[in-house]
Amino acid sequence: MTVESEDAWFDRDAGHLVRPYAITGGRTASERDDLSLITLVVTTDPRTDTTRMSPEQAAILALCLERPLAVAEIAAGLDLPVSVVKVLLGDLAEAALILTRAPVPLAEVPDLALIQAVIEGVRNL
């Protein structure tokens, strides 16, 4: 059977016709345990050749090209489970094709009262 278009792998009612375990090569978890739903991801090089990548990996690089996106946003944009996206992101990070940034711990976020004081100080100038 020959595939006449890329739409052959998508059914409007059923969604993607490729099972998640096929996309990840049977892996169910990423080797990286530092990827949370709010971890930011950005593509390292816009000139990366994506012709030998899976369509999902190429789509991730395209999504994260213009601005950093959270893991949850990538999963929503690709309409894939977060666990699948984390496996793909792990592969891309290992190949140095993406950079990730963990969320800022709450202890490092400035106090709201301090921010308001700074704003008031600027207004008084």
Side-chain angles (χ1 to χ4, degrees), residues 14-97:
H16 295 281
L17 301 177
V18 178
R19 301 256 185 224
Y21 63 82
I23 294 171
T24 63
R27 295 170 294 154
T28 58
S30 174
E31 292 183 17
R32 294 184 56 165
D33 60 355
D34 63 334
L35 297 172
S36 72
L37 289 176
I38 57 176
T39 299
L40 295 177
V41 179
V42 67
T43 302
T44 57
D45 185 359
R47 300 165 299 190
T48 299
D49 180 20
T50 60
T51 56
R52 294 183 183 234
M53 291 182 186
S54 71
E56 294 81 13
Q57 288 177 321
I60 289 171
L61 293 179
L63 280 173
C64 300
L65 188 59
E66 293 186 20
R67 67 180 181 94
L69 291 178
V71 171
E73 292 176 298
I74 296 167
L78 296 178
D79 194 27
L80 288 173
V82 172
S83 58
V84 171
V85 171
K86 284 183 177 181
V87 171
L88 296 173
L89 290 173
D91 295 343
L92 292 170
E94 186 177 313
L97 297 174

